[in-house]
Amino acid sequence: MTREFIHQADRELTAAYEEPMSLEQYIDRILERPQLAAHASKYLLEAIESAGTRTVVEEGEEKERYRFFDDPHNDGEHAILGNTEVLNEFVDDLRSIAAKRGKEEKIVWLEGPTATGKSELKRCLINGLREYSKTDAGRRYTVEWNISGARESGGLTYGDRQVSDEEEWYASPVQSHPLSVFPPAVRERLLDQLNERLEDHIPVQVDSRLDPFCREAYDYLEEQYRREGHEELFSAVTSAEHLRVKNFVVDVGDGIGVLHSEDEGTPKERLVGSWMRGMLQKLDSRGRKNPQAFSYDGVLSQGNGLLTLVEDAAQHADLLQKLLNVPDERHVKLDKGIGMDIDTQLIIISNPDLEAKLNQHADRQGQDPLKALKRRLDKHEFRYLTNLSLEAELLRRELTNETEVWVADSYDQLEEMIREPLVLTVRDSDHQVTDRELAPHTIEAAALYAVVTRLDTNDLPPGLDLGDKARLFDAGYIHDGDDRLEKDEFDFADDTTDGEHGIPVTYTRDIIADLLYETQDRHHPDLSVEDVLMPRDALDAMADGLIDAPVFSDTERTEFENRVVQVKNGIFSAQEEDVLGAIMRDKRVDVETVEEYVEHVYAWAENEPIVNDRGEHEEPDPLKMKIFEIQHLSRFDEKHYSGTDPSEAVRSFRTEKIITALNRHAWANRDEEFRVQDVNPKEIPVIRTVLGSHDWDEVRRTFEDFDPRQWDDPPAGTETADVKERTIQNMIDMFEYSEASAELTSRHVMGQVSYKWD
């Protein structure tokens, strides 16, 4: 078993690295596969696009999302949830920058409040680029030098160290592109030939010269061979004994530079590095500063060749003006006499406080000293999630360290994921290990409350509350009785503050984490049910904690407290639906019966025959339709029919509620050639009601002696006791409740129902 792990590690490392090659071999390689020579922004774009896309629904609209941002190489560990439109705009900018279509002088700026996914983006980029560079399609190359065969003095060494064999090779400290070895005119001809073979619409562009360290080696070798009278100087300098091309795995310090908020030093030290004191006396500097005596540990040096990230940019605001001309000039100074070309995609990440610093002189208008900098910044704003399913997924991640990205074939599947219970093992104050259950709908309740606090009320349509808006944004539709209301039917504004403010996921996480260490049976002291956290427990704690949380203003506290009631009502309706479904489980109609009814209604409306199981044509059966409508649709009885002939009310119901909804669903699911895809009868609102919803009048008719006021402790042998026993078991079987959470949930629902039972 141990050797198996060792062998697996061997295989991964072997797959990540290639044997070094000569410059000629490299040219042959890239002429065959031109994308391997990509410049920084093109490479980053290719890495993102290589993972493909998937369709998601955010803010009620379908969008194509790049899977790269799901962190697929690392099993979703640092996936960015939501903000798909912002990420797509970021990729569009990369495409323009890579193709030099007018945005190459821009500094990409990603801004947003805390806990909106900016840090995840940084990790996702680092992880994704690292793993992509290990693949055949994503190989990244640089050069290394060996001057041992041509030196007369100390030559190319770090310090006074004398070495031999493989240790004589020194790689470019800033990942210089192999094509930068060529003189500009030759390189231009080579790139022309390369791009003719490139299938991509974005040409490879390599404009940089060798970095100072590599230039020192090149110049030294050129001088030695010129003294010896070599006619083919370039061939001699770049021969396999002096120069070779090696692939490297992209990582922080190797193609990725990250400037953290806590990093210190002068602007030059943070940007490109610093001179190493005491080294100049040991090196053959020939009366000047030697680039071998330079520490290439600045963020631009580390990120040369691919990506430079400035984290928490407000802490490095003094650097931004120093970076002003870097994107378009692509050149920085190590010293007054030594400059370095760079090829890196520059991205700065900040909270909103950076914008406040940039606008400190805005009242000076044309005299604003930061105006030129602000013109260079290309801002993309991350916001808090406004999708219930994404917030629920994020909250579960925060509580459990789960990394799997939720991918569902339908919103029904997402709904199941949202409402799922969660069991966590905690150690209490007495050091006892205990399992604590977050009952079904608890994660949903906390996530929905957080989302509701983030939504703008100014564009709220009449008749809808913020909970409705949240569910419209998540699913793209809501059900209102027999009708399905699509988001497109409502006029939501494009310039709202949705997602700009609200309860962050970190607040919700901390509230629930604290509750996990408390006994959760305070609502039912007579019941020996512990270790269950109910939705109302989470909502009450979140609302109560607002007063002591310094992150919220007084106005926000008041506003957020007022919104919790809407969420409680919505979650109670979901719990009530679970209890009703469990009570009436044996009375539910199966999908096949519904599909048969829909088929007969459609044939009846079109005056066409149907095809039975034997392949025979037969007329739609009026009796089957009547029986279904009376037994399963509480709105109809015998007085609505003359024999089997339907009344006008039944006819209207069939055409308006069944046929119209079916046609609308078929139209929405057509393909590009207008062929109807799978039509799901469950998407017809009235049929969805038949399949999954019941009401208390139906319970009263079915169980005449049932009394919800006896639910907490029903007398033995009564119908209420029998109904309760079956209901608790059905809640466990159907909706993944535990016995304890089923008891508490059903008690809560029956407590409300009993008030209006008579």
PDB file of all heavy atoms in Angstrom, residues 235-251:
ATOM      1  N   SER A 235      24.397  30.739 -33.188  1.00  0.00           N
ATOM      2  CA  SER A 235      24.394  29.278 -33.053  1.00  0.00           C
ATOM      3  C   SER A 235      25.309  28.832 -31.934  1.00  0.00           C
ATOM      4  O   SER A 235      24.990  27.890 -31.182  1.00  0.00           O
ATOM      5  CB  SER A 235      24.821  28.623 -34.368  1.00  0.00           C
ATOM      6  OG  SER A 235      23.895  28.905 -35.397  1.00  0.00           O
ATOM      7  N   ALA A 236      26.465  29.498 -31.801  1.00  0.00           N
ATOM      8  CA  ALA A 236      27.405  29.124 -30.742  1.00  0.00           C
ATOM      9  C   ALA A 236      26.850  29.458 -29.369  1.00  0.00           C
ATOM     10  O   ALA A 236      26.904  28.650 -28.435  1.00  0.00           O
ATOM     11  CB  ALA A 236      28.743  29.831 -30.959  1.00  0.00           C
ATOM     12  N   VAL A 237      26.288  30.669 -29.246  1.00  0.00           N
ATOM     13  CA  VAL A 237      25.760  31.110 -27.943  1.00  0.00           C
ATOM     14  C   VAL A 237      24.583  30.254 -27.510  1.00  0.00           C
ATOM     15  O   VAL A 237      24.424  29.928 -26.330  1.00  0.00           O
ATOM     16  CB  VAL A 237      25.351  32.590 -28.010  1.00  0.00           C
ATOM     17  CG1 VAL A 237      24.596  33.006 -26.745  1.00  0.00           C
ATOM     18  CG2 VAL A 237      26.578  33.471 -28.188  1.00  0.00           C
ATOM     19  N   THR A 238      23.719  29.879 -28.447  1.00  0.00           N
ATOM     20  CA  THR A 238      22.488  29.158 -28.104  1.00  0.00           C
ATOM     21  C   THR A 238      22.601  27.658 -28.356  1.00  0.00           C
ATOM     22  O   THR A 238      21.583  26.967 -28.423  1.00  0.00           O
ATOM     23  CB  THR A 238      21.308  29.711 -28.915  1.00  0.00           C
ATOM     24  OG1 THR A 238      21.570  29.527 -30.319  1.00  0.00           O
ATOM     25  CG2 THR A 238      21.090  31.173 -28.624  1.00  0.00           C
ATOM     26  N   SER A 239      23.811  27.161 -28.481  1.00  0.00           N
ATOM     27  CA  SER A 239      23.991  25.721 -28.688  1.00  0.00           C
ATOM     28  C   SER A 239      23.521  24.959 -27.460  1.00  0.00           C
ATOM     29  O   SER A 239      23.389  25.515 -26.362  1.00  0.00           O
ATOM     30  CB  SER A 239      25.460  25.412 -28.958  1.00  0.00           C
ATOM     31  OG  SER A 239      26.251  25.741 -27.817  1.00  0.00           O
ATOM     32  N   ALA A 240      23.306  23.662 -27.649  1.00  0.00           N
ATOM     33  CA  ALA A 240      22.737  22.843 -26.580  1.00  0.00           C
ATOM     34  C   ALA A 240      23.625  22.779 -25.350  1.00  0.00           C
ATOM     35  O   ALA A 240      23.139  22.485 -24.252  1.00  0.00           O
ATOM     36  CB  ALA A 240      22.468  21.434 -27.102  1.00  0.00           C
ATOM     37  N   GLU A 241      24.930  23.063 -25.495  1.00  0.00           N
ATOM     38  CA  GLU A 241      25.791  23.004 -24.312  1.00  0.00           C
ATOM     39  C   GLU A 241      25.668  24.268 -23.463  1.00  0.00           C
ATOM     40  O   GLU A 241      26.079  24.278 -22.308  1.00  0.00           O
ATOM     41  CB  GLU A 241      27.246  22.814 -24.732  1.00  0.00           C
ATOM     42  CG  GLU A 241      27.822  23.971 -25.556  1.00  0.00           C
ATOM     43  CD  GLU A 241      29.273  23.723 -25.926  1.00  0.00           C
ATOM     44  OE1 GLU A 241      30.086  23.534 -24.996  1.00  0.00           O
ATOM     45  OE2 GLU A 241      29.565  23.692 -27.129  1.00  0.00           O
ATOM     46  N   HIS A 242      25.075  25.345 -24.031  1.00  0.00           N
ATOM     47  CA  HIS A 242      24.937  26.588 -23.276  1.00  0.00           C
ATOM     48  C   HIS A 242      23.484  26.966 -22.981  1.00  0.00           C
ATOM     49  O   HIS A 242      23.208  27.595 -21.961  1.00  0.00           O
ATOM     50  CB  HIS A 242      25.580  27.745 -24.047  1.00  0.00           C
ATOM     51  CG  HIS A 242      27.060  27.617 -24.197  1.00  0.00           C
ATOM     52  ND1 HIS A 242      27.899  27.373 -23.138  1.00  0.00           N
ATOM     53  CD2 HIS A 242      27.851  27.684 -25.310  1.00  0.00           C
ATOM     54  CE1 HIS A 242      29.145  27.305 -23.571  1.00  0.00           C
ATOM     55  NE2 HIS A 242      29.139  27.475 -24.894  1.00  0.00           N
ATOM     56  N   LEU A 243      22.596  26.613 -23.849  1.00  0.00           N
ATOM     57  CA  LEU A 243      21.195  27.021 -23.689  1.00  0.00           C
ATOM     58  C   LEU A 243      20.281  25.820 -23.895  1.00  0.00           C
ATOM     59  O   LEU A 243      20.474  25.042 -24.828  1.00  0.00           O
ATOM     60  CB  LEU A 243      20.834  28.105 -24.719  1.00  0.00           C
ATOM     61  CG  LEU A 243      19.344  28.495 -24.780  1.00  0.00           C
ATOM     62  CD1 LEU A 243      18.924  29.248 -23.531  1.00  0.00           C
ATOM     63  CD2 LEU A 243      19.056  29.336 -26.026  1.00  0.00           C
ATOM     64  N   ARG A 244      19.316  25.693 -23.031  1.00  0.00           N
ATOM     65  CA  ARG A 244      18.280  24.690 -23.243  1.00  0.00           C
ATOM     66  C   ARG A 244      16.943  25.220 -22.722  1.00  0.00           C
ATOM     67  O   ARG A 244      16.885  26.107 -21.868  1.00  0.00           O
ATOM     68  CB  ARG A 244      18.642  23.365 -22.582  1.00  0.00           C
ATOM     69  CG  ARG A 244      18.795  23.370 -21.085  1.00  0.00           C
ATOM     70  CD  ARG A 244      19.352  22.039 -20.597  1.00  0.00           C
ATOM     71  NE  ARG A 244      19.352  21.947 -19.139  1.00  0.00           N
ATOM     72  CZ  ARG A 244      19.873  20.940 -18.452  1.00  0.00           C
ATOM     73  NH1 ARG A 244      20.466  19.930 -19.106  1.00  0.00           N
ATOM     74  NH2 ARG A 244      19.816  20.920 -17.129  1.00  0.00           N
ATOM     75  N   VAL A 245      15.918  24.681 -23.296  1.00  0.00           N
ATOM     76  CA  VAL A 245      14.549  25.090 -22.953  1.00  0.00           C
ATOM     77  C   VAL A 245      13.960  24.053 -22.009  1.00  0.00           C
ATOM     78  O   VAL A 245      14.024  22.850 -22.282  1.00  0.00           O
ATOM     79  CB  VAL A 245      13.683  25.219 -24.221  1.00  0.00           C
ATOM     80  CG1 VAL A 245      12.255  25.600 -23.856  1.00  0.00           C
ATOM     81  CG2 VAL A 245      14.286  26.253 -25.168  1.00  0.00           C
ATOM     82  N   LYS A 246      13.414  24.507 -20.925  1.00  0.00           N
ATOM     83  CA  LYS A 246      12.830  23.596 -19.928  1.00  0.00           C
ATOM     84  C   LYS A 246      11.397  24.009 -19.635  1.00  0.00           C
ATOM     85  O   LYS A 246      11.047  25.187 -19.708  1.00  0.00           O
ATOM     86  CB  LYS A 246      13.644  23.625 -18.634  1.00  0.00           C
ATOM     87  CG  LYS A 246      13.741  25.003 -17.991  1.00  0.00           C
ATOM     88  CD  LYS A 246      14.377  24.956 -16.601  1.00  0.00           C
ATOM     89  CE  LYS A 246      13.399  24.403 -15.592  1.00  0.00           C
ATOM     90  NZ  LYS A 246      13.916  24.519 -14.212  1.00  0.00           N
ATOM     91  N   ASN A 247      10.577  23.026 -19.359  1.00  0.00           N
ATOM     92  CA  ASN A 247       9.223  23.360 -18.929  1.00  0.00           C
ATOM     93  C   ASN A 247       9.213  23.516 -17.419  1.00  0.00           C
ATOM     94  O   ASN A 247      10.044  22.943 -16.703  1.00  0.00           O
ATOM     95  CB  ASN A 247       8.219  22.305 -19.380  1.00  0.00           C
ATOM     96  CG  ASN A 247       8.162  21.096 -18.473  1.00  0.00           C
ATOM     97  OD1 ASN A 247       9.154  20.373 -18.341  1.00  0.00           O
ATOM     98  ND2 ASN A 247       7.031  20.863 -17.848  1.00  0.00           N
ATOM     99  N   PHE A 248       8.309  24.329 -16.929  1.00  0.00           N
ATOM    100  CA  PHE A 248       8.194  24.509 -15.484  1.00  0.00           C
ATOM    101  C   PHE A 248       6.720  24.467 -15.092  1.00  0.00           C
ATOM    102  O   PHE A 248       5.843  24.800 -15.885  1.00  0.00           O
ATOM    103  CB  PHE A 248       8.841  25.822 -15.036  1.00  0.00           C
ATOM    104  CG  PHE A 248       8.176  27.075 -15.549  1.00  0.00           C
ATOM    105  CD1 PHE A 248       7.233  27.758 -14.791  1.00  0.00           C
ATOM    106  CD2 PHE A 248       8.503  27.581 -16.800  1.00  0.00           C
ATOM    107  CE1 PHE A 248       6.627  28.903 -15.263  1.00  0.00           C
ATOM    108  CE2 PHE A 248       7.906  28.737 -17.283  1.00  0.00           C
ATOM    109  CZ  PHE A 248       6.961  29.404 -16.514  1.00  0.00           C
ATOM    110  N   VAL A 249       6.489  24.013 -13.877  1.00  0.00           N
ATOM    111  CA  VAL A 249       5.131  23.992 -13.344  1.00  0.00           C
ATOM    112  C   VAL A 249       4.826  25.360 -12.757  1.00  0.00           C
ATOM    113  O   VAL A 249       5.549  25.860 -11.902  1.00  0.00           O
ATOM    114  CB  VAL A 249       4.973  22.894 -12.274  1.00  0.00           C
ATOM    115  CG1 VAL A 249       3.609  23.004 -11.592  1.00  0.00           C
ATOM    116  CG2 VAL A 249       5.136  21.524 -12.904  1.00  0.00           C
ATOM    117  N   VAL A 250       3.781  25.961 -13.248  1.00  0.00           N
ATOM    118  CA  VAL A 250       3.397  27.292 -12.785  1.00  0.00           C
ATOM    119  C   VAL A 250       3.000  27.251 -11.318  1.00  0.00           C
ATOM    120  O   VAL A 250       2.270  26.355 -10.884  1.00  0.00           O
ATOM    121  CB  VAL A 250       2.221  27.819 -13.632  1.00  0.00           C
ATOM    122  CG1 VAL A 250       1.638  29.086 -13.027  1.00  0.00           C
ATOM    123  CG2 VAL A 250       2.666  28.061 -15.064  1.00  0.00           C
ATOM    124  N   ASP A 251       3.495  28.195 -10.553  1.00  0.00           N
ATOM    125  CA  ASP A 251       3.144  28.284  -9.140  1.00  0.00           C
ATOM    126  C   ASP A 251       3.525  29.669  -8.648  1.00  0.00           C
ATOM    127  O   ASP A 251       4.135  30.453  -9.383  1.00  0.00           O
ATOM    128  CB  ASP A 251       3.857  27.202  -8.328  1.00  0.00           C
ATOM    129  CG  ASP A 251       3.056  26.776  -7.091  1.00  0.00           C
ATOM    130  OD1 ASP A 251       2.223  27.583  -6.621  1.00  0.00           O
ATOM    131  OD2 ASP A 251       3.255  25.648  -6.606  1.00  0.00           O
TER     132      ASP A 251
END
